[in-house]
Amino acid sequence: NRLMDYGTDGITAFTVLAAGASATYAPIVLTGLLPPLATTVVLRATLTPNAAGDILYLRPTNALAGLQSTLGLAEMSGDVAAVAHVDMMEVLTGTAAGVTSIDYKLTVNTDAATLVLQGYVDQL
């Protein structure tokens, strides 16, 4: 395995989610941004929570039913209401109908999340 870093700070083409607000799992398509065998993506995540303690959840698309809380799930919590929290997150990718993607979900739809692809783990 090799970590590939795009060095994407400030490059909007690598913003895979801008001000997302879904309170149910929604896919983020990554096809075309990764090689077909990349299994983990590295993202710079910005969460602006509606309330302190609201959470951004990431998981592989098509995570097995009943295992979403343990299979490849990544979480980030907002510390202060209406104050952006920024952190790096890693999450496994999944596929649906041949499309590489991850799913995201917020505690409530008044939270906002932005994700910028920073890199991926390549299977050499």
Side-chain angles (χ1 to χ4, degrees), residues 75-89:
E75 299 178 6
M76 182 173 80
S77 177
D79 300 325
V80 179
V83 175
H85 178 87
V86 180
D87 209 343
M88 300 299 287
M89 298 180 76

Side-chain angles (χ1 to χ4, degrees), residues 43-119:
L43 303 155
R44 184 181 70 232
T46 303
L47 169 62
T48 305
N50 181 59
D54 283 359
I55 298 173
L56 163 63
Y57 300 93
L58 300 177
R59 72 175 189 190
T61 296
N62 277 344
L64 297 174
L67 297 178
Q68 290 88 340
S69 63
T70 58
L71 181 66
L73 185 72
E75 299 178 6
M76 182 173 80
S77 177
D79 300 325
V80 179
V83 175
H85 178 87
V86 180
D87 209 343
M88 300 299 287
M89 298 180 76
E90 290 185 12
V91 65
L92 298 170
T93 60
T95 58
V99 175
T100 301
S101 61
I102 59 174
D103 296 338
Y104 87 100
K105 177 176 89 164
L106 298 163
T107 301
V108 294
N109 65 2
T110 51
D111 294 336
T114 297
L115 299 172
V116 179
L117 182 63
Q118 295 289 293

